[in-house]
């Protein structure tokens, strides 16, 4: 490979200088395959692509017209690098690796293998069957991917009944419940021959590779034999196992006659979004589908192929064949998905047509560069069918992708209508021009201890969490809700004025007339601001009951079943939740501090050192005396700490994760 890395980034490059640099570099691009890396003014890689001819592909970004999404990408480009490869396959693999390394914001970023569950037979001396989302090269056998965890767990549950491999992570001292249920051979207590494990793992592999029909016949034979010998309990067990196989493995209606494992891909694009549908066919039967929706910024078909390459990279459980759409097939897919009944009819067409279709299209498929590259890389068949049964399966996948995309946009429009409409309706009820930005406040304390307040922001009827703020109360002593509200309103809007931040269209106070009056007094008489303020009073069951507006505040009637009332409920619940969470965090920290400070020999410095090293009071309580040596604490003091913390056995300090908001 050859790499071009012209132009460093010691500082942010201006647009004019960048355009001049790009013009010079475009003239030097080679007519060879490779990968290109687009960078913004700070030198961050924002897009990675591959090309058969680098010169033509990279130049296309800076000439001609583009859609809005691509224009957004091009507007940020200030430089680029390129890496020349020996072949298209090398470029394909390199592109996948570069995307995983740099996570460019404009690339299709496929989640790694953790997105898909697999069944795994471990390679240990006492093997076990487990569901995993992590693929490693550990000599284990992997089967999948399964479209969701439920499908994988159901299959494992069935196999646990048929093949009693061990279930525990480490062998216990005595037999467990699984042994008594007949789902474990108990290698912890009884010797198990290696040949027996090989037989069971072989049977499981055969089952997962599509041999469940033969296994069902064998169970049928055993059931009949047990019935003839009057062993009715054993016969019933076999009957239940057969029923479980039928329920789990034989629900499919769409079939192919060649019993091959294949993945069928389809995609659709609209409004800068792409939907990819994968239909999983195992042993010729369609078992499930997987749907991915994401924004894309490059050329649609190229980004789709990048998705496919990422999907299969580092994936040990590959099908024998994959079916892909060509570019026109995806673009022309209609919005009407093929129904399961129609698909079943399609799939039952004669073998003769399928053989004829295979022979006629082989040359076309193998001639596509991507198919050849993927075939060489992964050693599986890659087809772009032109007609026949397989072509109809691809069309079905594309049609379903189109339907899923349209459904997404309908849901977005409905949600937008509901949230924006609610904020506009609320503004009309209150009599203000707009309620696009709403800032809501709530206080929290327990009899005046650890007083805090919190602010949440709703924009167009939706929570804007990056704008949330937390407040430690500084000037108020005791449980004085009115003065607390005055302090918080003063601190918030002094900062807004000082930093030139946008004022809200409406301020919502979680409280009644007293809190509203306090907020209005600070805004008008201290800060000279004219911002509408409303309050949310609660009933005896602590539910939102009244909207209070004005000075003096008066109730504004709102229908309980209206979107406006529902919006106010959400705002009140959210600000209350956020304030309570912050209060619990602060109270938990103060409890930890007081507990440690009460121990002789522990000052502020050692307290901070202990919490930094162990992470929590619970971890300190559960530590051994030896663990304290890492923080330079001797045996005597360590025992004193442990004795003091374990005095009230069963006491547990609250631990909560901080929310993404900044204190003010």
């Amino acid at each position: 490979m050859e790499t071009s890395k012209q132009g460093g980034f010691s500082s942010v490059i201006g647009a004019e200088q960048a355009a001049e640099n790009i013009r010079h570099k475009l003239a030097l691009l080679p007519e060879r395959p490779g990968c290109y890396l687009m960078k913004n003014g700070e030198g961050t890689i924002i897009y990675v692509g591959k090309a058969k001819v680098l010169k033509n592909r990279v130049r296309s970004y800076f000439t001609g017209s583009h859609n809005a999404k691509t224009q957004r990408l091009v507007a940020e480009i200030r430089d680029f690098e390129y890496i020349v490869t020996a072949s298209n396959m090398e470029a394909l693999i390199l592109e996948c690796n570069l995307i995983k390394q740099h996570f460019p914001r404009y690339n299709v970023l496929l989640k790694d293998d953790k997105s898909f569950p697999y069944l795994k037979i471990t390679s240990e001396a006492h093997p076990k069957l487990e569901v995993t989302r992590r693929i490693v090269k550990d000599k284990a056998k992997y089967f999948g991917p399964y479209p969701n965890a439920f499908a994988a767990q159901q299959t494992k549950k069935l196999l646990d009944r048929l093949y009693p491999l061990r279930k525990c992570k480490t062998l216990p001292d005595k037999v467990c419940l699984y042994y008594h249920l007949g789902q474990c051979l108990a290698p912890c207590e009884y010797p198990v021959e290696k040949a027996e494990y090989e037989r069971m793992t072989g049977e499981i592999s055969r089952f997962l590779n599509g041999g469940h029909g033969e296994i069902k016949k064998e169970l049928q034979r055993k059931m009949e034999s047990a019935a003839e010998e009057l062993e009715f309990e054993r016969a019933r067990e076999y009957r239940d196992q057969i029923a479980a196989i039928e329920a789990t493995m034989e629900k499919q209606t769409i079939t192919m006659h060649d019993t091959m494992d294949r993945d069928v891909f389809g995609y659709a694009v609209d409004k800068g979004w792409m939907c990819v549908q994968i239909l999983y066919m195992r042993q010729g039967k369609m078992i499930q589908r997987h749907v991915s929706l994401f924004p894309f910024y490059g050329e649609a078909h190229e980004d789709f192929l990048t998705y496919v390459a990422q999907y299969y990279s580092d994936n040990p459980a590959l099908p024998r064949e994959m079916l892909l759409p060509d570019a026109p097939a995806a673009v022309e897919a209609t919005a009407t998905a093929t129904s399961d009944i129609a698909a079943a009819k399609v799939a039952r067409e004669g073998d003769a047509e399928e053989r004829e279709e295979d022979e006629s299209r082989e040359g076309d498929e193998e001639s596509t560069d991507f198919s050849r590259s993927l075939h060489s890389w992964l050693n599986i068949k890659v087809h772009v069918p032109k007609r026949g049964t397989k072509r109809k399966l691809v069309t079905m996948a594309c049609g379903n992708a189109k339907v899923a995309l349209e459904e997404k946009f309908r849901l977005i429009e409905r949600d937008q209508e509901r949230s924006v409409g609610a904020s506009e309706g609320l503004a009309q009820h209150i009599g203000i021009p707009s309620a696009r930005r709403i800032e809501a406040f709530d206080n929290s304390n327990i009899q005046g201890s650890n007083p805090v307040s919190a602010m949440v922001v709703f924009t167009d009827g939706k929570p804007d969490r990056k704008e949330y703020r937390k407040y430690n109360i500084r000037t108020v002593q005791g449980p004085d809700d009115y003065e607390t509200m005055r302090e918080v309103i003063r601190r918030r809007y002094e900062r807004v004025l000082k930093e030139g931040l946008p004022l809200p269209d409406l301020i919502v106070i979680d409280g009644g007339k007293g809190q509203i009056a306090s907020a209005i007094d600070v805004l008008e008489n201290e800060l000279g601001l004219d911002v509408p303020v409303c309050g949310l009073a609660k009933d005896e069951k602590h539910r939102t009951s009244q909207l209070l507006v004005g000075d003096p505040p008066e109730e504004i009637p709102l229908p309980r079943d209206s979107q406006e009332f529902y919006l106010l409920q959400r705002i009140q619940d959210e600000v209350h939740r956020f304030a309570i969470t912050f209060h619990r965090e602060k109270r938990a920290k103060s409890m930890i501090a007081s507990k440690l400070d009460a121990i002789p020999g522990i000052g502020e410095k050692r307290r901070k050192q202990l919490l930094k090293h162990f992470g929590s009071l619970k971890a300190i309580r559960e530590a051994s005396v030896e663990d304290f040596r890492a923080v330079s604490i001797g045996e005597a003091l360590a025992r004193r700490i442990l004795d003091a913390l374990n005095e009230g056995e069963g006491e547990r300090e609250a631990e909560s994760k901080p929310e993404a908001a900044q204190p003010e």
Side-chain angles (χ1 to χ4, degrees):
M1 288 187 228
E2 303 169 14
T3 308
S4 168
K5 294 187 178 180
Q6 302 176 19
F9 285 89
S10 56
S11 62
V12 177
I13 294 179
E16 291 184 7
Q17 182 188 346
E20 186 65 24
N21 290 343
I22 287 172
R23 275 196 296 272
H24 289 308
K25 294 178 75 170
L26 287 175
L28 302 175
L29 283 166
E31 296 184 359
R32 294 175 61 184
C35 288
Y36 53 90
L37 300 86
M38 300 299 191
K39 297 184 174 184
N40 63 12
E42 297 174 352
T44 303
I45 294 170
I46 58 174
Y47 188 76
V48 173
K50 64 182 179 301
K52 287 192 294 182
V53 181
L54 281 168
K55 187 172 186 176
N56 297 343
R57 187 71 188 97
V58 177
R59 277 184 171 181
S60 69
Y61 284 92
F62 305 100
T63 58
S65 59
H66 304 288
N67 60 34
K69 288 270 186 179
T70 308
Q71 284 175 359
R72 191 184 310 170
L73 163 63
V74 173
E76 285 194 40
I77 297 173
R78 294 294 179 268
D79 196 7
F80 65 85
E81 292 179 16
Y82 58 87
I83 302 173
V84 176
T85 60
S87 65
N88 292 331
M89 184 186 75
E90 225 179 77
L92 176 68
I93 298 171
L94 178 60
E95 182 193 34
C96 277
N97 293 335
L98 289 173
I99 290 173
K100 287 182 179 180
Q101 180 182 350
H102 298 290
F103 298 101
R105 60 175 296 193
Y106 287 109
N107 273 100
V108 172
L109 298 176
L110 175 67
K111 292 180 181 178
D112 59 18
D113 303 312
K114 291 180 290 186
S115 300
F116 304 100
Y118 294 80
L119 282 177
K120 171 184 177 180
I121 304 175
T122 64
S123 58
E124 301 161 286
H126 302 289
K128 60 179 180 177
L129 180 68
E130 59 187 18
V131 176
T132 182
R133 294 177 183 266
R134 186 165 171 261
I135 306 300
V136 293
K137 294 180 180 178
D138 55 358
K139 297 183 181 179
K141 294 179 181 178
Y142 292 89
F143 303 88
Y146 287 81
N148 52 61
F150 178 76
Q153 291 288 358
Q154 286 294 101
T155 306
K156 179 183 181 297
K157 186 177 178 182
L158 168 62
L159 291 169
D160 285 341
R161 294 177 61 184
L162 297 174
Y163 306 103
L165 294 179
R166 74 181 177 97
K167 308 295 182 295
C168 47
K169 290 184 179 180
T170 55
L171 293 182
D173 297 330
K174 58 182 180 179
V175 297
C176 61
L177 180 62
Y178 285 111
Y179 172 75
H180 297 291
L181 292 173
Q183 294 185 19
C184 181
L185 295 175
C188 54
E189 192 159 326
Y190 305 108
V192 182
E193 295 293 331
K194 185 179 179 181
E196 177 64 8
Y197 280 138
E198 289 175 350
R199 182 192 68 80
M200 284 197 292
T201 56
E203 288 284 302
I204 293 172
S205 298
R206 185 158 65 99
F207 185 99
L208 294 173
N209 283 323
H212 53 272
E214 297 175 15
I215 291 170
K216 193 178 80 168
K217 289 179 183 177
E218 178 67 16
L219 290 172
Q220 183 79 25
R221 186 190 61 77
K222 289 181 179 179
M223 181 185 71
E224 293 170 357
S225 175
E228 287 176 3
E229 295 174 9
L230 305 181
E231 296 178 356
F232 298 116
E233 289 293 326
R234 185 173 295 277
R236 189 176 68 178
E237 285 181 18
Y238 289 135
R239 183 202 65 188
D240 292 344
Q241 290 174 357
I242 292 169
I245 291 175
E246 290 174 345
T248 306
M249 304 300 294
E250 299 194 350
K251 295 178 181 177
Q252 305 83 8
T253 56
I254 302 175
T255 61
M256 296 284 285
H257 297 288
D258 56 8
T259 67
M260 183 182 286
D261 292 354
R262 59 171 57 86
D263 291 345
V264 183
F265 283 82
Y267 76 98
V269 296
D270 192 14
K271 299 181 179 69
W273 281 76
M274 179 181 292
C275 175
V276 177
Q277 291 251 353
I278 310 171
L279 307 179
Y280 299 115
M281 300 191 75
R282 296 297 179 261
Q283 290 295 301
K285 294 184 177 182
M286 188 172 294
I287 60 169
Q288 264 290 1
R289 67 172 183 165
H290 176 74
V291 184
S292 292
L293 283 151
F294 45 83
F296 74 100
Y297 297 89
E299 195 275 322
H301 195 62
E302 283 190 10
D303 279 3
F304 164 70
L305 297 180
T306 297
Y307 175 97
V308 174
Q310 288 186 70
Y311 177 80
Y312 285 113
S313 62
D314 300 327
N315 184 343
L318 298 172
R320 289 178 57 194
E321 178 184 72
M322 74 172 80
L323 305 181
L324 303 177
D326 54 15
V331 174
E332 295 166 8
T334 62
T336 305
T338 307
S339 67
D340 286 348
I341 296 173
K345 183 180 177 182
V346 164
R348 288 195 296 267
E349 292 179 0
D351 288 346
E353 181 195 349
E354 188 171 341
R355 285 195 299 271
E356 180 183 348
E357 173 238 328
D358 281 341
E359 292 169 359
S360 64
R361 71 169 190 272
E362 190 69 27
D364 290 339
E365 291 166 357
E366 291 302 315
S367 68
T368 61
D369 292 322
F370 182 82
S371 298
R372 284 205 305 268
S373 299
L374 214 54
H375 175 73
S376 302
W377 180 21
L378 302 174
N379 196 30
I380 61 177
K381 294 180 181 178
V382 182
H383 289 165
V384 183
K386 303 299 179 183
R387 60 180 178 273
T389 304
K390 293 180 180 178
R391 165 68 174 182
K392 291 173 183 176
L393 285 171
V394 170
T395 301
M396 180 177 74
C398 290
N400 275 281
K402 184 72 173 175
V403 168
L405 206 54
E406 289 176 348
E407 184 178 286
K408 174 185 174 63
F409 290 131
R410 283 198 300 270
L411 289 172
I412 289 174
E413 288 169 7
R414 191 172 66 180
D415 186 47
Q416 190 80 359
E417 226 173 85
R418 190 165 52 219
S419 57
V420 174
S423 61
E424 290 175 350
L426 181 61
Q428 290 175 7
H429 278 90
I430 295 175
I432 59 177
S434 170
R436 185 173 184 274
R437 180 183 174 92
I438 300 173
E439 295 184 359
F441 296 84
D442 189 20
N443 305 324
S444 182
N445 66 78
I446 295 180
Q447 296 181 341
S449 67
N450 303 118
V452 298
S453 189
M455 179 192 80
V456 302
V457 177
F458 274 61
T459 304
D460 288 331
K462 292 183 179 180
D464 192 355
R465 290 184 173 84
K466 67 179 183 299
E467 297 282 338
Y468 286 16
R469 295 293 183 268
K470 301 173 181 177
Y471 298 88
N472 286 304
I473 302 306
R474 300 169 182 166
T475 62
V476 180
Q477 300 297 323
D480 191 336
D481 211 29
Y482 299 157
E483 285 303 313
T484 299
M485 187 60 67
R486 292 176 68 89
E487 178 187 328
V488 173
I489 293 293
R490 184 183 300 115
R491 285 168 57 188
R492 168 61 184 168
Y493 295 105
E494 277 180 348
R495 170 167 287 192
V496 166
L497 291 172
K498 183 179 178 181
E499 298 182 5
L501 301 175
L503 283 166
D505 299 307
L506 177 65
I507 295 173
V508 175
I509 304 298
D510 188 9
K513 296 180 179 181
Q515 287 91 339
I516 296 172
S518 299
I520 291 175
D521 182 43
V522 172
L523 289 168
E524 293 183 355
N525 300 326
E526 295 185 27
L527 303 177
L529 293 175
D530 182 18
V531 181
V533 179
C534 71
L536 298 178
K538 295 180 180 178
D539 59 19
E540 66 279 359
K541 295 184 179 178
H542 208 67
R543 296 177 303 193
T544 306
S545 64
Q546 290 180 324
L547 170 63
L548 303 173
V549 179
D551 188 14
E554 295 180 358
E555 182 182 351
I556 301 293
L558 279 180
R560 289 298 182 98
D561 59 351
S562 67
Q563 289 296 331
E564 292 81 4
F565 191 82
Y566 174 63
L567 173 61
L568 290 173
Q569 279 185 318
R570 285 199 304 151
I571 291 172
Q572 189 170 42
D573 291 345
E574 178 68 355
V575 71
H576 183 67
R577 178 200 66 80
F578 191 48
I580 285 290
T581 302
F582 182 37
H583 180 256
R584 285 173 180 163
E585 285 175 26
K586 187 176 179 182
R587 185 159 52 93
K589 288 177 182 176
S590 69
M591 289 170 67
I592 290 172
S594 61
K595 191 87 173 176
L596 289 172
D597 286 341
I599 302 171
I602 300 295
E604 184 180 355
K605 186 176 179 181
R606 266 189 171 156
R607 169 166 55 82
K608 289 180 179 178
Q609 192 178 18
L610 283 167
L611 290 173
K612 182 178 180 182
H613 178 74
F614 289 101
S616 69
L617 195 66
K618 183 175 182 288
I620 298 173
R621 185 188 291 117
E622 294 174 352
S624 66
V625 172
E626 292 295 321
D627 293 334
F628 287 87
R629 295 188 185 278
V631 286
S632 304
I633 290 179
E635 182 178 343
L637 181 55
R639 292 192 183 282
R640 198 185 311 151
I641 293 169
L642 292 174
D643 290 344
L645 294 181
N646 288 301
E647 263 179 17
E649 189 175 354
E651 180 184 352
R652 292 293 180 267
E653 302 299 338
E655 296 179 8
S656 61
K657 296 182 180 179
E659 189 138 2
Q662 304 171 13
E664 289 193 351

